[in-house]
Amino acid sequence: MNKKNWYSLIAVLLLSAIILTACGGAAPEAAPEAPAAEEPAAAEEPAAVEEPAAAEEPMEASQVEVFSWWTGGGEAAGLDAMIEIFGAEYADIEFVNAAVAGGAGTNARAVLATRLQAGDPPDSWQGHAGQELIGTYVAGGQIEALNDLYDAEGWVDVMPETLIPLISHEGNIYSVPVNIHRANVMWYNPAVLEANGVAVPTTMDEWFAAMDTLQAAGVTPLALGEQWTQLHLFETVLLGSLGSEAYDGLWDGSTDWASAEVTAAIDAFAKVLTYTNSDAASLSWQDASQLVVNGDAAFNVMGDWAAGYYIELGLTAMEDYGWAPTPGSVGVFQFLSDSFTLAVGAPHPEGAEAWLKIAGSKAGQEAFNPVKGSICARTDCDPTLFGEYLQSAMEDWGSNTVSGSLTHGVVANDSWKSEIDTALGLFLIDQGVEDFQTALVAACVASGPCQ
């Protein structure tokens, strides 16, 4: 079994600390035996001792292992486009793609956590700008500051002012953002809406009325997938119900999780769930997106990586699929940003730095983002390289009120997000609004600003 599968097995099966200790104990026993067997030759080997070190030395810069969760659709295609740029610039460095599929990074991050605990980090890994980065990896002392690289590459001048603080702590910058995504996007099938006389809704009340009409006509109003997509839906309903100011206040303590306004938002979310497909738990986000373009559902709430997926399918914007801000959030850009880090103790630091240079470059981001379904983190990319949806996202990013995503790491650290996700899982089983809200209050007390 190779190393990648071994770590995946550990992460998925959650092997006990006893087994991990036993596995860790095997190496020290083997280590003394090798010197004992080689000792007779020690006296005659000045050259023999030097040779292995000399042979291994170039490997430090000849490889880079990059860890992500981009394994399919526009995500994988975008990564491949950036890897091609990397290969052309650094032909002498082997790119090791250590991507792990599943759950918008849930599976990958479980594998990554196992590797970090074992002291075996990849050289660079994907992480979300915001509290996921600062509250997890920086707090854990697991990634290096990149100030010197930012100075050398001039990135502070071409990265958005709103983004730099989200990847910084105590004056140090800790990752290289490659894109900006929008979370609060409602995708729809134009033909299905037209056939049922439904206009694109802009408010929560209009959305409920539209979904009532579609449901009465035998159409699934809202396509939905597995639990992380339901957390994504929940955050957009919170935003649409509360408005951006009160939504932002959830994450800094100025909005009370126990308030009547939050109760109303949870009620709205519970109602939204009544319009969804019954097999949601078994579907990926791509499956749910496919239901819309197949005409089997009218709406889907998903980040704009769905645009990359639709591009990969060869579909035509505003014919095969359309988009709008999620109801109640017109004028708000709920964002996230994928970025890459440099591991503390990276096995190939020179290779990692080479990768980060490409990730932060204009050429790298212009190759990656039009295919991925996102816009550049840099502010100097050529808009004409991007399709119709992404050009509209560029305009909105520059003019809308900006709020951060929960599901994708901006507003809450891993501990708090995990508490919320656990509460959501229980709510999806019993639909108890009061219990859900109580659990959300407790999550804020345990891990958030309500302490």
Side-chain angles (χ1 to χ4, degrees):
M1 183 182 290
N2 62 35
K3 183 185 289 185
K4 180 177 175 183
N5 288 338
W6 171 243
Y7 283 116
S8 297
L9 183 61
I10 295 173
V12 173
L13 298 181
L14 300 176
L15 292 180
S16 70
I18 295 173
I19 296 173
L20 287 174
T21 303
C23 292
E29 288 178 25
E33 293 177 4
E38 304 240 355
E39 223 160 294
E44 43 184 284
E45 56 167 348
V49 172
E50 296 278 339
E51 245 175 297
E56 289 181 14
E57 197 67 39
M59 291 300 292
E60 290 302 309
S62 66
Q63 189 180 91
V64 60
E65 183 188 16
V66 177
F67 193 94
S68 76
W69 50 84
W70 293 330
T71 59
E75 297 179 329
L79 179 59
D80 287 344
M82 194 153 51
I83 292 171
E84 187 175 340
I85 299 290
F86 178 83
E89 185 72 22
Y90 297 101
D92 59 331
I93 301 178
E94 177 192 4
F95 187 95
V96 179
N97 185 354
V100 174
T106 303
N107 295 345
R109 294 189 62 212
V111 174
L112 176 62
T114 302
R115 290 191 59 173
L116 294 177
Q117 288 167 7
D120 180 34
D123 297 301
S124 179
W125 65 80
Q126 176 188 358
H128 290 126
Q131 283 304 305
E132 177 184 305
L133 180 82
I134 302 302
T136 305
Y137 303 126
V138 173
Q142 294 166 322
I143 53 178
E144 298 279 6
L146 301 173
N147 297 48
D148 290 345
L149 188 59
Y150 266 76
D151 290 341
E153 299 298 310
W155 287 337
V156 172
D157 295 332
V158 294
M159 294 291 182
E161 291 181 5
T162 54
L163 192 54
I164 294 295
L166 295 172
I167 54 176
S168 301
H169 182 65
E170 295 182 349
N172 290 316
I173 305 175
Y174 283 95
S175 72
V176 178
V178 294
N179 65 6
I180 299 292
H181 269 304
R182 188 173 195 169
N184 62 320
V185 187
M186 179 180 66
W187 304 93
Y188 61 88
N189 185 308
V192 169
L193 296 194
E194 183 177 358
N196 290 278
V198 171
V200 177
T202 60
T203 68
M204 295 294 294
D205 286 342
E206 288 175 0
W207 198 24
F208 288 135
M211 292 194 289
D212 283 337
T213 298
L214 291 161
Q215 199 167 57
V219 177
T220 299
L222 180 64
L224 189 60
E226 59 190 308
Q227 183 167 322
W228 79 262
T229 74
Q230 297 171 43
L231 183 63
H232 184 113
L233 175 64
F234 176 55
E235 71 176 38
T236 64
V237 172
L238 283 176
L239 177 64
S241 299
L242 296 172
S244 60
E245 185 176 352
Y247 169 84
D248 293 345
L250 292 171
W251 316 112
D252 65 15
S254 58
T255 296
D256 185 358
W257 280 94
S259 67
E261 291 77 12
V262 173
T263 306
I266 297 172
D267 283 333
F269 177 61
K271 185 174 181 179
V272 167
L273 292 176
T274 67
Y275 297 103
T276 62
N277 45 300
S278 60
D279 60 347
S282 65
L283 301 185
S284 68
W285 72 264
Q286 293 98 329
D287 295 331
S289 297
Q290 190 77 54
L291 290 176
V292 173
V293 294
N294 286 351
D296 295 322
F299 301 111
N300 174 236
V301 172
M302 186 45 52
D304 50 15
W305 44 93
Y309 178 63
Y310 292 147
I311 291 169
E312 280 290 294
L313 294 177
L315 303 178
T316 303
M318 286 305 179
E319 292 182 20
D320 300 314
Y321 64 95
W323 61 86
T326 52
S329 70
V330 175
V332 181
F333 195 114
Q334 188 181 35
F335 90 104
L336 58 134
S337 175
D338 294 301
S339 65
F340 283 92
T341 64
L342 172 60
V344 169
H348 310 98
E350 293 179 28
E353 185 170 307
W355 164 247
L356 293 176
K357 287 179 180 179
I358 295 300
S361 71
K362 186 172 186 287
Q365 294 199 12
E366 287 183 340
F368 171 76
N369 285 293
V371 186
K372 172 68 162 68
S374 49
I375 62 177
C376 294
R378 296 177 63 108
T379 58
D380 58 351
C381 287
D382 181 359
T384 65
L385 298 173
F386 294 79
E388 185 177 351
Y389 165 75
L390 291 175
Q391 288 190 12
S392 74
M394 286 180 179
E395 293 178 9
D396 288 347
W397 172 245
S399 63
N400 283 192
T401 300
V402 173
S403 289
S405 166
L406 162 66
T407 310
H408 307 283
V410 179
V411 294
N413 61 26
D414 278 2
S415 174
W416 193 6
K417 175 185 166 183
S418 178
E419 292 274 350
I420 293 172
D421 195 43
T422 298
L424 173 64
L426 295 173
F427 173 71
L428 294 172
I429 295 169
D430 64 20
Q431 300 290 301
V433 170
E434 184 176 348
D435 288 344
F436 187 28
Q437 187 167 13
T438 299
L440 293 173
V441 171
C444 186
V445 171
S447 301
C450 306
Q451 294 174 336

